[in-house]
Amino acid sequence: MLPAAEDFIREVRDIYSRVDTPEERFKEIQPHLEKLLQDEELREVSKTWPFRNEPERGYIENLLFYEDPDYGFVLNSLLKKPRESTPVHDHGHVWTMYGVLRGKRGSSAMSARMTAAATNRRI
């Protein structure tokens, strides 16, 4: 694992050990994520990561790099080609923090009713 990723994981583990609420954790983790995303070695290595998505079939795959055995957080990557999107989905009870390593990211928040309508489900 890259030193910058190891540092990030160590810092996040420390935050989880000290901070109880997700809101406060996110505030403390954010600058560490920003630092990780600026790492030149990570940026260079990311150019070799495989694209595994098949959006026309509704298949999107994250690359899992780390899953913490004690606190349950993960470090992963979602690679998307320009203008590629993910289907409407729900993260449920999972808190998600996004960062962009290369390129740009757009996002739309949806209510439960909008999500149900987009996926032809009943609420």
Side-chain angles (χ1 to χ4, degrees), residues 45-99:
V45 168
S46 73
K47 295 175 184 176
T48 67
W49 296 345
F51 283 94
R52 295 188 176 150
N53 300 341
E54 296 181 43
E56 65 281 353
R57 292 181 39 206
Y59 180 76
I60 306 296
E61 182 177 344
N62 287 313
L63 302 176
L64 179 63
F65 297 113
Y66 177 80
E67 184 172 0
D68 192 82
D70 300 313
Y71 301 109
F73 68 86
V74 300
L75 177 60
N76 64 20
S77 176
L78 173 61
L79 302 175
K80 294 192 299 188
K81 295 177 180 170
R83 294 174 294 287
E84 185 175 274
S85 63
T86 57
V88 173
H89 61 282
D90 182 357
H91 287 233
H93 67 281
V94 176
W95 285 69
T96 304
M97 180 177 274
Y98 290 101

Side-chain angles (χ1 to χ4, degrees), residues 13-72:
R13 285 182 54 80
D14 175 64
I15 292 166
Y16 266 78
S17 74
R18 297 182 289 99
V19 180
D20 292 329
T21 67
E23 295 89 350
E24 289 301 315
R25 284 181 187 151
F26 269 44
K27 286 179 189 174
E28 287 200 37
I29 292 170
Q30 182 177 351
H32 299 288
L33 178 59
E34 290 170 1
K35 179 182 173 187
L36 175 64
L37 295 173
Q38 296 304 314
D39 184 76
E40 287 301 322
E41 186 178 17
L42 178 62
R43 288 174 170 272
E44 197 57 37
V45 168
S46 73
K47 295 175 184 176
T48 67
W49 296 345
F51 283 94
R52 295 188 176 150
N53 300 341
E54 296 181 43
E56 65 281 353
R57 292 181 39 206
Y59 180 76
I60 306 296
E61 182 177 344
N62 287 313
L63 302 176
L64 179 63
F65 297 113
Y66 177 80
E67 184 172 0
D68 192 82
D70 300 313
Y71 301 109

